[in-house]
Each structure stands twice: as structure tokens, then as C-alpha cells.
Amino acid sequence: MTERHKDRPWLMRTYAGHSTAEASNALYRRNLAKGQTGLSVAFDLPTQTGYDPDHVLARGEVGRVGVPVSHLGDMRRLFQDIPLEQMNTSMTINATAMWLLAMYQVVAEEQGLGPEAVDRLSGTTQNDIVKEYLSRGTHVFPPGPSLRLTTDLITYSVNHIPKWNPINICSYHLQEAGATPVQEIAYAMSTAIAVLDAVRDSGQVPAERFGDVVARISFFVNAGVRFVEEMCKMRAFGRIWDQITRERYGVDNPKQRRFRYGVQVNSLGLTEAQPENNVQRIVLEMLAVTLSKDARARAVQLPAWNEALGLPRPWDQQWSLRIQQVLAHESDLLEYPDIFDGSHVIEAKVAELTAASLAEIDRIQEMGGAMAAVESGYLKSQLVASHAERRARIEAGEERIVGVNCYESTEPNPLTADLDTAIMTVDPANEARVVAALHRWRDERDEPRAQEALSALKAAAAGTANLMPATLECVRAGVTTGEWAWALRDVFGEYRAPTGVSGAPLAVAAEPGSALGAVRDKVAKTAADLGVGKLRLLVGKPGLDGHSNGAEQIAVRARDAGFEVVYQGIRLTPEQIVAAAVAEDVHCVGLSILSGSHAELVPDVLARLREAGAASAAGADGPAEAPIPVIVGGIIPSADATALRAAGVAAVFTPKDFGITEIIGRIVDEIRTANQLDPLEATA
């Protein structure tokens, strides 16, 4: 029997980073020793949003959801004893992508790969700012300057680091924000068009080399549990990309037109309830991007089974890596050509997705392209509406989730018998150590050189020069992440993206006898009892957590229940939230935090409310009832939830509380309790 040729497996990565550069470096080296074939770096939120660890907005966020990298010294330690010329490194970084790639290049040079040989580096910077405005929230600058930074990084990479993927156009987070497959394809492709047009129009790459630009554009996608539809989505992605690059940009070489993508499978569908079910969800989602050879991912990273509970441990990440290895090395998947070729079912679904996506791309182009559709709020409102519709289907039981709205009875779970050890926690003292190290770095650097480099960066930003050379000098001069970003803020300004809440249509009808109808009656009765026209709810996102999907859904449902909702978007200090609560005379403050900074930021909000006279200090026997109750939602371990309630929080909601209408009803109950009103019979 003739032995079948076996394809090479995809790159296997684990998205990782936490606490410090030293701790993350040790984690990377352990993962590589376990058979991981590429690195995927998770940076903490201050690094992603251009703040140093000692900035007020960085409080509670340092090292929580990734590694803090404040300067060249941190980057050296992050990749110590990891030869970068042999590594394929993915860096999930966007607004500060240029800064991080510049540090990566300088570390490579210091490892012996001189400036003339950095063209051997391979990897990816995500560098897609559009989806940050829509779903992930780590944007810094307005759309125009952000597109310039993206363009400058792409042109520099094509000319100097030709094996590097300078952008990873990212539809992953669009699906996390509620995008349908058609929206995911159309919005990602519209972003690609905006970026390629900007690169072409910049004149930094000769027309005859534009195929080299297209060849380095990569994508980062999501794969949900509907794996047949998701696999068809990937085939549609490839078909549309081939058409756009051939027809719009005249790229004749089919290799340059190939749709190249990496994937992290869906985290939106991972559940806190019966979290062991997440393992089979992850496997099904992985199959969507590996089964079809002609639409197979170039790189795969899988979430861990316990991500809805908190930060996964190294063992949990190892489990996810082993899932990939079993499929690649034990199964016969890689021995066959595309097993879906000739399927009329698959072809019909791909054609349907392709046609609908092209129609939506045309609609966005008629608006002026992706950037115009961001600034008008169209894209964001569409995503908020899609997400609201999905949540409504789940709550109505039309979309079934095992362990959440069906088959809820369960045996005790040995994996979560001790919840405090089922996830990894970051030492609260870590932040102070990182800040102290930052101060030592500033004290020991060549200060005149650092200031001169920052002045040159500002001058370049005010002109039209490519910003990468000035950024590289900032790295070598010892400039910090926050200083680099603030220099550009001084020139470009900052940007608050549309929230999409006001434009989202009604997702759940408040008909008489319905759950929302009952809550709406409670809202109206409570407003009347308090002698006000409407109950007012402030939805706040303190700190740097930009994942606003949950907060937006609470805001939309509260609006539909009859609340007047105050929602100012992401990235607010506790001081700003309290000032808004007092100025707007709200009846409840709802805080949404998914980054793990709740232990620092929520008590700060409570203390400031008390100082403002909007809440009472805790009594001898525990916290007193507050005129403005504070509720908190997010990924919050049970021990932390207990501590927050003891500190004076009225209620804590986590992903297991999926019924938004019920949550709104609970908010009304807490308002009545805080104002010493009798409970109402009707509940959601």
C-alpha cells in the first residue's frame, strides 16, 4: 500500500503572558518545551492602551490580563534565551503595535541579529485598530492618525522585515461582540480595503511591489460552535479575498492573493456553568478551521476550559495545546486533500455567505468605507443589535446552551471543587514591584537622549514622515510605553468611540405578561414611589477593560425596561464615574469589569461615593444600606464576590447570570431596598 503524504501541521500557539516579563518568559520556555511551535504574546491593558504602570488608569490592571512591557529592558527579559530569528511570534497589540515591534526588532539586534539581518524575523503584529473601536476597546488615537500608524508599520515591514505580517486584520473580536458570519466577513474585508487603500495612497511602496503588501496581510478569525457554518465562512473569506485583491488591486500572482489566517476559537460561548462542557466546544470549534485543507488556518490557539472563571493556569493551557497535538499527530486529518470538495451542501452555504457579505461590503463602501462607518456609529450599532438578538434567543430558549438554559442538572464538578485553585491569580503586590522597576529604569537612563528622541517623534508625527525610524530611536533611548504614546497623544489627540447603545433597536418586546413587561412595571412603580419621572442607571466601565459587550447589553435592556441610562463608554477613572453619578442624580451604579481589576477599582468607587455623600459608610455590623446601590458584573471569582459584597456592593453578577431581564429586575429590587421601599411581588 502506498503511504499517503502527510501535510505539515499548523503553527500551535498558546495566548499567554502575565505578572512580569520574567514570569512570562519562564512560561513561554515551558510551553515551547511542551511542543508549542509559536509564541502568542498577551500584553496587559496599560501596555495595550499606551500607559505606564504608574498612571492612574493603570491602577489594578498591571500584569492582570497579560505581561507589562514598559520599555526595552522589559522586552529583553520577556524574550531572554528565546532566539527570535528561529521563532514565529504573534503579538496581540494594536494602538501601540509600532512601539512593540520596534522593541522586538531592537532585542533581535541585541541578540546578534544586526540591523541588516532583521529581515529574517517572522511573526505578526495584530495592528488592526478598526475592531478596537467596535469591540475590544484598546484604541488610543482618532481613526485618521491610527490609520497612519498602521500604514507606516506596514510599509516599514514590507521594506525592512519582509517575513513579518505587519497586520492581522481581526474578525475574532467582532464575533465576540455579536457579529453574524456575514458581518464578520464584511467588516473585516472592509477594514482590509481601508488599510490597503491607505498603503497604496501613501506612496511608500512602489506600485510594482504592491503584491508584496497584499502577500503580508494576514487575518485573525473566530470559530464558533456551529462548525459547519464556520467552516463555510472560512471558505467564503478566501473566495472574497481572492476576488478583492485581484479585481481592486490587480494582484496577478495567486500565491500573493492567498487568504492567510490564524485563529483563536470562540470565547463568547464558553460558560461558567458546567465549565467542563467548554472542552468539547473548543474541539468542535477547532475542527471548523482545520478539517478543510483548502481553508485551513496557518496558526491555531485555543482558549482554556476555565476562561469564563478567571485566568487559566499553565496546566489548563497545556490541556488546550494537547487538543491540537492529538488532532495533528494522532488522527489522519493531514493525510488527505480537502474532504469537502464537491459537496453541494457546503458549496451552497459558501455561495450564500459570499453573496450576502459582498452586498454588505458594498453598503459600507457607499458610506465612505470602514473608517466612515466607524465614525458614524453604523458598525457599532449593528454589532450591539446583533448581540442583543443573540442574547434574546438564548433567554427565550430558542438558542440552546447545554448547562445554561437546558440540561442544567449536574453532578458535582471535581475540576471546580476548589474554585480558589481552579484558576491562576496575580499577586496584588506585583503592581508595586513593576512600578518600582519602572522608576529605576527612568532614573538610570540617558535622560537628555530620551527627551530628544521624544521631541523628534513629535516633530515626525506633526509632519508626514514614516514614524517607525523615530520610534526605533525612542526604544534605543530608553523611552517608556506611556511616554511614546503621550507624545503622539499631544499631536494626534485621543478618541472616544461611539457606544452603539442609543442606536440599537428593541431586541425583546415588553408585552403584558412577559418577563420584560413585568420588569417594566416594576421600574414604573418604583419611579412613581420615588416621585421621579424615570429611574436612572449609570453603567460604568472603570479602568482599562475595553470589553464592553456585557455593559452594552445591560444598558440596552435597561433602556427597554424603562430606565434612563447613563453610559459614557469605556476607560473611566473611579473619580469620573462618581462625578457622573452625582451630576446625573442616578438611582444605581452598575460597574462592569472583566480584566480582574475589580478588587482595586470597585472599593475606590464605593469610597468616593461615600465621600460625595451618595453612600453611607459601613457600620459596625457590616456595610450600611446606601442611597445609591452599587452592583458589579464581570469575571469575578467567588471569594472576590464575597469580599465585594462585604465592602458594600449590593449585588455581584458573573457569566452564569445570563438572564439580562432578570438582572434588570434585581437592579430594581436593590434600588427599592436602598430607598427603604417595600419589595414588589412581580419578579422577572
Side-chain angles (χ1 to χ4, degrees), residues 204-250:
Q204 296 185 64
V205 178
E208 63 272 15
R209 291 196 60 207
F210 200 73
D212 295 338
V213 175
V214 170
R216 300 321 303 173
I217 303 295
S218 62
F219 290 78
F220 187 68
V221 305
N222 206 328
V225 76
R226 293 171 56 83
F227 79 96
V228 174
E229 182 175 61
E230 294 292 280
M231 188 269 296
C232 292
K233 178 187 76 181
M234 299 320 308
R235 294 170 84 93
F237 250 130
R239 189 170 297 183
I240 292 172
W241 181 242
D242 185 80
Q243 178 179 329
I244 288 173
T245 54
R246 186 180 67 254
E247 295 179 359
R248 187 180 182 96
Y249 300 108

Side-chain angles (χ1 to χ4, degrees), residues 283-299:
V283 171
L284 284 171
E285 291 165 352
M286 177 182 63
L287 292 178
V289 295
T290 54
L291 280 182
S292 173
K293 178 178 179 178
D294 293 345
R296 183 171 293 150
R298 290 279 188 96

Side-chain angles (χ1 to χ4, degrees), residues 435-519:
V435 169
L438 169 69
H439 292 168
R440 286 195 300 274
W441 174 268
R442 288 199 193 118
D443 290 342
E444 294 170 3
R445 71 185 178 185
D446 182 343
E447 190 63 25
R449 183 182 178 186
Q451 294 305 320
E452 186 176 333
L454 286 168
S455 296
L457 176 66
K458 286 185 182 181
T464 59
N466 188 298
L467 292 172
M468 191 67 174
T471 295
L472 283 163
E473 172 54 22
C474 284
V475 170
R476 297 179 177 119
V479 166
T480 67
T481 298
E483 291 169 338
W484 178 86
W486 279 107
L488 295 181
R489 283 182 176 100
D490 286 346
V491 179
F492 296 150
E494 291 189 86
Y495 184 69
R496 295 195 70 80
T499 67
V501 169
S502 60
L506 180 72
V508 179
E511 298 170 352
S514 68
L516 187 58
V519 171

Side-chain angles (χ1 to χ4, degrees), residues 375-434:
E375 293 179 292
S376 71
Y378 169 77
L379 296 184
K380 182 65 173 178
S381 64
Q382 293 294 107
L383 290 176
V384 172
S386 292
H387 201 171
E389 290 167 6
R390 175 183 180 271
R391 291 298 301 245
R393 290 194 303 272
I394 293 171
E395 291 176 44
E398 298 167 11
E399 189 170 315
R400 305 181 86 186
I401 300 179
V402 173
V404 174
N405 62 359
C406 64
Y407 309 114
E408 297 169 58
S409 62
T410 181
E411 298 295 327
N413 184 346
L415 291 173
T416 58
D418 182 359
L419 274 175
D420 292 334
T421 62
I423 56 172
M424 191 172 76
T425 56
V426 175
D427 182 359
N430 178 69
E431 186 167 314
R433 292 193 290 267
V434 172

Side-chain angles (χ1 to χ4, degrees), residues 101 119 150-167 196 199 204-206 209-217 466:
L101 181 57
D119 60 0
T150 299
T151 299
D152 283 358
L153 182 54
I154 291 171
T155 55
Y156 176 85
S157 298
V158 168
N159 289 318
H160 299 281
I161 320 178
K163 293 183 179 179
W164 194 265
N165 299 323
I167 187 169
L196 286 174
V199 172
Q204 296 185 64
V205 178
R209 291 196 60 207
F210 200 73
D212 295 338
V213 175
V214 170
R216 300 321 303 173
I217 303 295
N466 188 298

Side-chain angles (χ1 to χ4, degrees), residues 125-388:
T125 33
Q126 196 166 97
N127 198 26
D128 171 7
I129 205 66
V130 171
K131 63 91 177 49
E132 299 301 323
Y133 299 132
L134 299 178
S135 56
R136 194 163 172 268
T138 68
H139 55 277
V140 177
F141 312 110
S146 293
L147 188 57
R148 176 184 172 188
L149 282 166
T150 299
T151 299
D152 283 358
L153 182 54
I154 291 171
T155 55
Y156 176 85
S157 298
V158 168
N159 289 318
H160 299 281
I161 320 178
K163 293 183 179 179
W164 194 265
N165 299 323
I167 187 169
N168 217 342
I169 293 167
C170 191
S171 71
Y172 172 87
H173 302 92
L174 302 180
Q175 186 177 121
E176 296 291 299
T180 65
V182 167
Q183 289 172 329
E184 191 179 338
I185 296 169
Y187 298 174
M189 287 296 168
S190 296
T191 298
I193 290 170
V195 168
L196 286 174
D197 282 359
V199 172
R200 179 192 60 197
D201 297 344
S202 75
Q204 296 185 64
V205 178
E208 63 272 15
R209 291 196 60 207
F210 200 73
D212 295 338
V213 175
V214 170
R216 300 321 303 173
I217 303 295
S218 62
F219 290 78
F220 187 68
V221 305
N222 206 328
V225 76
R226 293 171 56 83
F227 79 96
V228 174
E229 182 175 61
E230 294 292 280
M231 188 269 296
C232 292
K233 178 187 76 181
M234 299 320 308
R235 294 170 84 93
F237 250 130
R239 189 170 297 183
I240 292 172
W241 181 242
D242 185 80
Q243 178 179 329
I244 288 173
T245 54
R246 186 180 67 254
E247 295 179 359
R248 187 180 182 96
Y249 300 108
V251 178
D252 295 326
N253 186 337
K255 287 185 177 180
Q256 292 179 325
R257 298 199 308 266
R258 184 177 177 188
F259 182 74
R260 301 159 59 252
Y261 78 98
V263 64
Q264 167 150 329
V265 305
N266 190 290
S267 294
L268 175 66
L270 302 183
T271 63
E272 181 182 6
Q274 298 181 26
E276 65 275 11
N277 295 337
N278 293 332
V279 176
Q280 49 264 37
R281 292 183 180 113
I282 290 167
V283 171
L284 284 171
E285 291 165 352
M286 177 182 63
L287 292 178
V289 295
T290 54
L291 280 182
S292 173
K293 178 178 179 178
D294 293 345
R296 183 171 293 150
R298 290 279 188 96
V300 177
Q301 58 192 46
L302 303 180
W305 68 276
N306 55 349
E307 286 201 11
L309 305 176
L311 189 64
R313 302 157 299 186
W315 182 85
D316 307 310
Q317 293 190 323
Q318 175 184 297
W319 191 357
S320 289
L321 176 62
R322 296 292 185 247
I323 292 172
Q324 295 198 59
Q325 291 170 330
V326 168
L327 179 65
H329 301 300
E330 294 188 23
S331 84
D332 59 352
L333 173 67
L334 297 178
E335 298 173 13
Y336 291 93
D338 197 298
I339 61 177
F340 296 102
D341 279 351
S343 166
H344 65 275
V345 173
I346 297 299
E347 181 55 36
K349 186 62 179 177
V350 172
E352 173 194 322
L353 291 172
T354 299
S357 299
L358 287 171
E360 181 65 7
I361 292 168
D362 288 344
R363 185 176 297 112
I364 292 168
Q365 292 307 303
E366 289 170 4
M367 296 177 185
M371 290 302 183
V374 165
E375 293 179 292
S376 71
Y378 169 77
L379 296 184
K380 182 65 173 178
S381 64
Q382 293 294 107
L383 290 176
V384 172
S386 292
H387 201 171

